[in-house]
Amino acid sequence: QVQLVESGGGLVQAGASLRLSCATSGLTVSGYGMGWFRQAPGKERELVAGISWSGGSTRYGASGKGRFTISRDNAKKTVYLQMNSLKPEDTAVYYCAAGSYGGSSSLYNYWGQGTQVTVSS
């Protein structure tokens, strides 16, 4: 059974940093690209960042460029999202996904339950 479990979300003030983690089980994580998406109330799910199976290639959505960094540790079967200089508009549920590392959610096969990130002004 494939499981992706996100952690590290919470309530922070604007300007703070958070590091999200996505622990995987039930799949050969080194064979998958991984992505972080987010969805705010009333908005569509959007790509924050994606990373190839080796970690050698990354891509960022408009929301993730410049302030966020995606990384992975295949030995630990874990993917990370370092988020710096958080803004209130970063408030959303953040999801981890396994599949490719493309920009569309349709390219991902497996999803976590999400972790809430709330940034207060």
Side-chain angles (χ1 to χ4, degrees):
Q1 181 181 1
V2 176
Q3 285 191 314
L4 281 65
V5 180
E6 303 95 336
S7 62
L11 172 63
V12 297
Q13 290 189 330
S17 297
L18 279 176
R19 188 194 197 201
L20 305 183
S21 298
C22 172
T24 71
S25 62
L27 79 168
T28 305
V29 68
S30 59
Y32 287 84
M34 300 293 294
W36 284 98
F37 286 77
R38 73 184 189 185
Q39 188 166 19
K43 295 187 177 181
E44 293 187 355
R45 191 170 295 190
E46 62 175 353
L47 175 75
V48 177
I51 188 166
S52 64
W53 68 270
S54 67
S57 297
T58 58
R59 66 187 302 160
Y60 293 88
S63 59
K65 286 181 180 178
R67 296 181 295 122
F68 296 175
T69 303
I70 189 171
S71 62
R72 66 189 297 163
D73 185 334
N74 286 343
K76 294 183 178 179
K77 300 182 179 181
T78 302
V79 181
Y80 306 96
L81 183 68
Q82 178 68 42
M83 305 188 295
N84 298 327
S85 302
L86 284 162
K87 304 175 181 180
E89 50 265 43
D90 294 319
T91 295
V93 177
Y94 284 71
Y95 297 92
C96 174
S100 74
Y101 71 108
S104 171
S105 60
S106 65
L107 297 174
Y108 294 80
N109 306 99
Y110 304 104
W111 291 83
Q113 293 298 308
T115 185
Q116 176 71 46
V117 172
T118 303
V119 184
S120 64
S121 58

